[in-house]
Amino acid sequence: MSRGFKTLLIVIAVVVVLLLSLIGNYNKMVSLDQSVKQSESDIDTQLQRRSDLIPNLIATVKGYASQEKDIFTAVADARSKLAGAQTITAKAEADNQVSGSLSRLLAVVENYPNLKSDQNFRDLSVALEGTENRINIARKDYNNEVGNYNSTIKRFPNVIIAGIFRFEQKPYYKAAEGAKEVPKVDFSKVK
């Protein structure tokens, strides 16, 4: 075996190792990107579930508190904005508006003891509370996936591969400015 042939084999082996590493890192980034998209879809599913509960909740409350039109309008407007949101940032902002308007709606309920004792309202309240918990978990899962993805594409040598194949950082699901915490829905007082 000549020296030139050995050198050629070494060069080919190095290229194969580098190529396999490139393929492995690329595939990892693709998998992480898909995990982020799946987590975003999970948030969308839970937001849609909550949106589907809202008309029934409003209809039940309207039966008892028809004079509270401003609150019903605010909830409908926030729900409409959420339905039209396209980016994760827009969804987060619209989600915060929906949560805020629902909090105001539920505060109004305190003025109507008969409404609080209505079985339909109680069932909707429990469903809404469960959905809010699912939304919080979906947000947390999404942010974990985004953190894994963003960390991976920023590490060397992945940063080079990410640049070549245009893997860009994903935004975290953030609360809107001024929103310190998710509104708490307390149905423990409902009898």
Side-chain angles (χ1 to χ4, degrees):
M1 216 183 243
S2 71
R3 185 175 177 152
F5 186 68
K6 286 182 184 179
T7 304
L8 179 63
L9 285 178
I10 291 172
V11 168
I12 290 172
V14 168
V15 168
V16 166
V17 167
L18 290 174
L19 188 59
L20 290 175
S21 175
L22 173 89
I23 292 169
N25 287 333
Y26 174 82
N27 287 339
K28 181 177 181 179
M29 285 183 248
V30 168
S31 294
L32 289 171
D33 182 56
Q34 291 304 308
S35 293
V36 169
K37 289 176 181 173
Q38 176 64 44
S39 293
E40 184 177 351
S41 177
D42 291 345
I43 291 172
D44 289 344
T45 299
Q46 296 309 320
L47 293 176
Q48 183 60 50
R49 176 180 157 85
R50 181 177 62 187
S51 278
D52 292 346
L53 288 170
I54 290 172
N56 294 328
L57 185 65
I58 288 176
T60 302
V61 174
K62 270 185 180 179
Y64 289 87
S66 59
Q67 66 276 17
E68 307 287 352
K69 291 179 183 165
D70 291 344
I71 292 172
F72 300 138
T73 302
V75 172
D77 290 346
R79 185 172 172 249
S80 177
K81 184 175 180 183
L82 180 59
Q86 298 298 314
T87 66
I88 196 72
T89 304
K91 288 174 189 174
E93 289 172 8
D95 174 29
N96 284 316
Q97 284 185 347
V98 169
S99 294
S101 61
L102 279 175
S103 292
R104 288 189 302 280
L105 176 68
L106 294 171
V108 166
V109 168
E110 294 299 318
N111 298 326
Y112 300 92
N114 291 338
L115 172 59
K116 293 192 306 184
S117 65
D118 182 82
Q119 184 62 44
N120 190 35
F121 176 77
R122 289 194 320 239
D123 292 346
L124 288 168
S125 298
V126 168
L128 180 62
E129 183 177 23
T131 300
E132 289 296 334
N133 290 334
R134 288 183 184 126
I135 290 169
N136 287 333
I137 290 168
R139 288 177 192 143
K140 180 182 171 284
D141 291 346
Y142 171 82
N143 283 340
N144 286 340
E145 293 296 337
V146 167
N148 289 336
Y149 171 83
N150 287 346
S151 294
T152 298
I153 68 167
K154 290 296 182 184
R155 288 188 196 120
F156 185 80
N158 293 344
V159 69
I160 297 168
I161 299 165
I164 293 169
F165 293 104
R166 295 193 174 128
F167 286 96
E168 296 178 0
Q169 276 194 280
K170 304 282 185 186
Y172 286 95
Y173 198 102
K174 296 180 185 174
E177 285 296 315
K180 295 190 179 188
E181 62 183 60
V182 175
K184 292 181 182 172
V185 181
D186 182 14
F187 298 111
S188 62
K189 296 177 185 175
V190 176
K191 295 180 181 178

